[in-house]
Amino acid sequence: MSRYSALVSRLPAGIDALIVTSEKNQRYLSGFPFTDGYVVATRSHGYLFTDFRYIEAAKRETRPEYEVIMFENGNRTALVTEKLKNDGVKVLAYEDNFLTVRELEGLKKEFPDFELVPVGTVLEDMRVYKDEEEIASIVKAQRIAEAALEETLKRLTPDMTEIEVAAELEYHMRRGGAAGTSFDTIAVSGKLSSCPHGVPRNVKLERGFLTMDFGALYNGYCSDMTRTVVLGKADAEMKKVYDTVLQAQLAALDAIKPGADMGEMDKIARDIIYGAGYEGCFGHSLGHGVGMFIHERPGFSRLWFGHPLEAGHVVTVEPGIYLENRYGVRIEDMVAIYEDRAENLTKAPKEMIELF
């Protein structure tokens, strides 16, 4: 079933069409990345409306179930309205998870002939389940990120700054074929490694742990991984912290399979960390879904008890220990769920590495 057909089948009763304004959801449905226009799905037709800047590429790349229409002479509203009325649309849904209040008011002024209603999580519900093509794009993004890490580790020196480490990762991802980064690259060292989402500084790398959390963007899809290395020599407690995080991740990875309870996966990792004496030092969830958005449903957390893993889910597994004002460790892989198995999509090694 095409994504257009899947969307139409999921539209709630009483809704005649959906106008899609968020760029990532437009690409998800139509296959074409653009930044100005609409994707519209009525119950009988799919449309992609855009302007002259995109029209040639849109005709070439848009999925065949969508008619590509170019705006001309500022007649955006008239063109869309004409198509909607021809398809008998009276109730037009919008993406309430993505529109600001101002944008919604703009839509109401632009399309006064229709009743506008929120569509809820219809598209989010679809994106939860990745098909083979989507998983292949995520895997490609991950391979690009892994190659970037390998190159970056070769180039690390004590005189580099955290910002330079982040720049190295991003440069090698772009050189490896990434369209960009999945999110702002994290590369934090020493005491700042205790901050799970620390921002790289323009300071030389501090001795101790260096945590790198990064991802590549490929064909519209994100990868996400974290590796922590030691700058210098690890003492006994540093080794204990690292080994505890690794054992927590390995235990969760071993338990992940189709039908497994997502909340239980978080508990497995958390119990190991807390049992080792680090209660309260793992303050985030075990993982989150990954796709066109870096954070998607589902997730591994206490909020997901009673929800089983299903084929098509792609979820991160990223336990961590963070000792305030001392240091932190996080190790992150991505896992895809199939009908008969779970597969770790991350191939980068994760034994503790000591540099310098």
Side-chain angles (χ1 to χ4, degrees), residues 6 8 103 126 129 171 192 198 235-236 243 250-251 259 267 269 290:
V8 171
E103 288 167 339
M126 289 176 60
Y129 302 99
Y171 167 73
L192 192 59
D235 61 27
D243 186 63
L250 292 175
K267 185 176 185 300
V290 178

Side-chain angles (χ1 to χ4, degrees), residues 163-174:
I163 287 177
E164 287 173 330
V165 175
E168 283 284 337
L169 288 166
E170 293 173 5
Y171 167 73
H172 290 294
M173 285 191 288
R174 289 301 297 260

Side-chain angles (χ1 to χ4, degrees), residues 102-144:
R102 183 174 184 174
E103 288 167 339
L104 176 57
E105 290 304 312
L107 276 185
K108 289 179 178 178
K109 291 179 181 178
E110 195 170 355
F111 301 108
D113 295 339
F114 308 99
E115 178 186 355
L116 268 69
V117 299
V119 77
T121 62
V122 168
L123 285 169
E124 287 80 357
D125 294 343
M126 289 176 60
R127 292 202 327 271
V128 165
Y129 302 99
K130 276 69 180 180
D131 59 28
E132 291 183 5
E133 179 182 340
E134 291 177 284
I135 293 176
S137 293
I138 294 171
V139 169
K140 177 62 176 178
Q142 177 59 24
R143 296 295 168 266
I144 291 170

Side-chain angles (χ1 to χ4, degrees), residues 138 141-142 145 182-183 214-217 221-225 290 294 334:
I138 294 171
Q142 177 59 24
S182 301
F183 52 92
F214 57 102
L217 188 65
Y221 286 83
C222 301
S223 68
D224 193 0
M225 69 179 295
V290 178
I294 190 57
M334 289 187 301

Side-chain angles (χ1 to χ4, degrees), residues 58-223:
K59 290 178 179 178
R60 184 172 60 248
E61 299 176 28
T62 300
R63 292 192 174 101
E65 56 266 30
Y66 293 91
E67 179 184 352
V68 176
I69 301 171
M70 185 175 74
F71 294 130
E72 293 180 351
N73 303 322
N75 64 346
R76 297 167 61 104
T77 301
L79 268 175
V80 178
T81 298
E82 178 186 359
K83 292 295 184 181
L84 291 175
K85 287 187 174 181
N86 287 345
D87 288 354
V89 173
K90 295 181 180 178
V91 180
L92 178 63
Y94 60 87
E95 299 172 280
D96 45 311
N97 278 350
F98 294 93
L99 282 182
T100 65
V101 172
R102 183 174 184 174
E103 288 167 339
L104 176 57
E105 290 304 312
L107 276 185
K108 289 179 178 178
K109 291 179 181 178
E110 195 170 355
F111 301 108
D113 295 339
F114 308 99
E115 178 186 355
L116 268 69
V117 299
V119 77
T121 62
V122 168
L123 285 169
E124 287 80 357
D125 294 343
M126 289 176 60
R127 292 202 327 271
V128 165
Y129 302 99
K130 276 69 180 180
D131 59 28
E132 291 183 5
E133 179 182 340
E134 291 177 284
I135 293 176
S137 293
I138 294 171
V139 169
K140 177 62 176 178
Q142 177 59 24
R143 296 295 168 266
I144 291 170
E146 290 168 352
L149 175 63
E150 183 177 357
E151 290 299 319
T152 298
L153 290 178
K154 293 177 185 177
R155 291 165 168 76
L156 282 183
T157 71
D159 292 327
M160 292 179 71
T161 66
E162 293 174 353
I163 287 177
E164 287 173 330
V165 175
E168 283 284 337
L169 288 166
E170 293 173 5
Y171 167 73
H172 290 294
M173 285 191 288
R174 289 301 297 260
R175 188 170 185 180
T181 60
S182 301
F183 52 92
D184 290 340
T185 300
I186 297 171
V188 290
S189 62
K191 290 183 178 180
L192 192 59
S193 64
S194 68
C195 297
H197 277 191
V199 177
R201 301 166 294 177
N202 191 28
V203 300
K204 287 187 178 181
L205 296 172
E206 295 181 11
R207 307 284 281 187
F209 287 120
L210 167 63
T211 296
M212 296 166 286
D213 187 349
F214 57 102
L217 188 65
Y218 180 82
N219 195 31
Y221 286 83
C222 301
S223 68

Side-chain angles (χ1 to χ4, degrees), residues 3 23-34 39 48 57-58 60-63 65-66 133 219 292:
R3 290 179 190 171
E23 293 174 14
K24 290 184 180 181
N25 279 337
Q26 288 176 338
R27 182 171 187 174
Y28 174 75
L29 290 171
S30 71
F32 179 63
F34 65 114
V39 168
L48 186 149
R60 184 172 60 248
E61 299 176 28
T62 300
R63 292 192 174 101
E65 56 266 30
Y66 293 91
E133 179 182 340
N219 195 31
M292 298 194 87

